[in-house]
Amino acid sequence: MQAEPGVARSGGPRFGLIVSKAVGNAVIRHRVSRRLRHVCAALVEEIGTDCDVVIRALPRAADASGRDLHRDISRALGKIRDKTRD
């Protein structure tokens, strides 16, 4: 995948997080964001350097452990990887 003309890329996959007010109050949203950032950092090596990943947290993410988030995101990325290999 090539970068769009005029768009600079500085290496490594990029992650975007969407944690809306539906997830909870500010404290809960920040906690979910921190957990998701931690999961993304752990998964960097498994993702191509030219990938952009956007993760939208659902309300149930507020009660999920870091381990649950890691499992769910890994599973989703695996499904995407499988589809792109076909």
Side-chain angles (χ1 to χ4, degrees):
M1 172 153 85
Q2 293 184 346
E4 297 175 26
V7 176
R9 187 171 268 289
S10 145
R14 297 185 305 177
F15 292 89
L17 302 177
I18 302 168
V19 185
S20 74
K21 288 184 178 181
V23 174
N25 64 28
V27 173
I28 293 170
R29 290 193 312 269
H30 288 290
R31 181 179 347 127
V32 170
S33 294
R34 282 191 307 272
R35 287 180 178 165
L36 289 172
R37 281 194 303 271
H38 181 76
V39 169
C40 292
L43 294 172
V44 162
E45 299 299 323
E46 299 178 26
I47 300 171
T49 58
D50 62 341
C51 292
D52 295 333
V53 179
V54 178
I55 299 170
R56 179 177 174 260
L58 299 176
R60 66 176 182 249
D63 299 322
S65 68
R67 181 175 290 151
D68 292 337
L69 294 172
H70 188 279
R71 183 195 65 232
D72 291 345
I73 293 170
S74 292
R75 186 177 298 152
L77 290 173
K79 288 180 182 180
I80 292 169
R81 228 177 285 128
D82 292 344
K83 285 185 180 184
T84 58
R85 287 183 187 159
D86 292 338

